[in-house]
Amino acid sequence: MAHDYDVIVVGSGAAGLAAALGASDTGASVLVVEADKQVGGSSRLSGGHFYAAGTSVQKAAGIDGDDADAMFEHYMTLNQWLVEPSVVRRYCDLSAPTFEWLKNLGVEFLPEKVYRSGVGSVARGHPPEGGGERVIEVLHGQLGQRSVDFVLNSRVSGLVTDDDDAICGIRIGDDVATCGAVIMATGGFGANKELLRRYYPEAAKADNWTWYIGTPMAQGDGLTLGEEVGADLAGFNRGLLLVTPGFGRDLEVLLPGWLVMVNAQGRRFANETAPYTVLGGLIQKEGGQAFAIFDEAARRDAKPSPISQANWVHEPLAARAEEGRIARADTLAELAGKIGADPEVLEGTLARYNADCERGVDSVFFKDPASGMRALTTPPFYATELRPAIVCWTGTGLRIDADTRVLRKNEQPVPGLFAAGETVGSLHGDRYIGGGGSYGPCIVFGKLAGEQAADYVRHLG
Ligand SMILES: Cc1cc2nc3c(=O)[nH]c(=O)nc-3n(C[C@H](O)[C@H](O)[C@H](O)COP(=O)(O)OP(=O)(O)OC[C@H]3O[C@@H](n4cnc5c(N)ncnc54)[C@H](O)[C@@H]3O)c2cc1C
């Protein structure tokens, strides 16, 4: 049957643009539909780091011998095998070739910037020069050289199916555009409070502390539109939550080493300088709430630093204490009373910590003494609540197979429906693999979805 386009891509973030290129480069006619007035979505705002193994940039950085097998083993182990192995495997296998593809398109990655972006021992985080914005610029520019059509300011409101329940078009209000296949690349649902409550209750639990750092268009439309045509979802309660003291909307993802983090009882439970990829999860295990403890001397000495320009700085901290946002007391026992902790536990925790500081070693959690670790002995003492509440990305989404086909509950694909990027739920476990672990799969599965959708259309009767 004749259709307007072979492939329609819904959403123009990294996943959507990579999908459009993937499809277009196999000869398919492509339309990209974007709800916003510009292309790019959250991908434009993002650091755009790409988590990949076995790249030429790693080799140039002297990292030899890394490969898809090692990445797969680390990914699966870190997530206790609670992710879809076939989808993870495809990501690992395609991470390096797709990375090289992106690099050859014109995105620059410097060997000296490759870093250990997660909790693994191998450096797999590849930050692009110019961040996510540059990636979008390059992909968009490439599409400009091909005959790919774009419609902006147009929020897709429904999918059209034929008599065999195959996807054959999209709806925007009363308008319909027909196609052989649709690729859903609408991003996550971080900006949709209702969907956060439904699919990511850990994020919603932080109440009005919760805020999302990406595009307001991250409304989870891919999930809603997919479910309307029978798609299954995967990855409940997954995503990345960053820790905040809730003072304001400042994106500061690490805690300074000079404070002590305790749970509701008043006991330390982690290295305060743990990577942002694990810090939020550790606090979740303590009930979603922790407290940062410090003393007057630490507060006074808290200068703006690369870790914090806003939250953990002397004067703002004093102002917050004056406002009552930070508890203040002359003794640790009194401070414990103010935050509902056990005075004996808090005093014991600080006594042990202070003794460790004197010896220059964190004997329990191995915090690096050079991180600013110091004994807390000068009253008044302070305590302020911490919550994992900044939503970076969401991990619940459409369930796909390793060929990016969207699956129904009965394991059969929804014919003609493909998905890539944050709208997919099959890839993320309880623990974020590391910086680049969301953007990388967006590019990998975006390109793959484009190729797969175009191939599907070529084989339609
Ligand atoms: C500030 C920030 C920093 C980040 N840093 C990193 C990082 O360094 N590394 C990493 O791995 N991850 C990072 N992330 C996460 C990562 O950037 C995102 O997960 C990824 O960019 C999502 O890409 P996407 O293409 O799936 O979605 P998006 O880029 O959000 O694109 C989706 C697009 O779909 C459009 N859309 C939505 N609904 C519809 C509809 N119904 N009809 C038409 N269009 C629609 C949206 O307007 C949007 O343009 C970061 C995120 C943010 C916000």
Side-chain angles (χ1 to χ4, degrees), residues 91 102 203 304:
Y91 169 39
L102 185 66

Side-chain angles (χ1 to χ4, degrees), residues 13-37:
L17 297 183
L21 265 179
S24 167
D25 282 351
T26 66
S29 62
V30 181
L31 170 69
V32 179
V33 186
E34 169 53 54
D36 208 347
K37 58 183 184 307

Side-chain angles (χ1 to χ4, degrees), residues 193-211:
K193 291 263 183 209
E194 172 51 33
L195 291 197
L196 284 177
R197 267 192 294 277
R198 198 181 311 161
Y199 299 126
Y200 198 4
E202 274 194 355
K205 196 162 74 180
D207 298 330
N208 54 0
W209 284 45
T210 304
W211 61 283

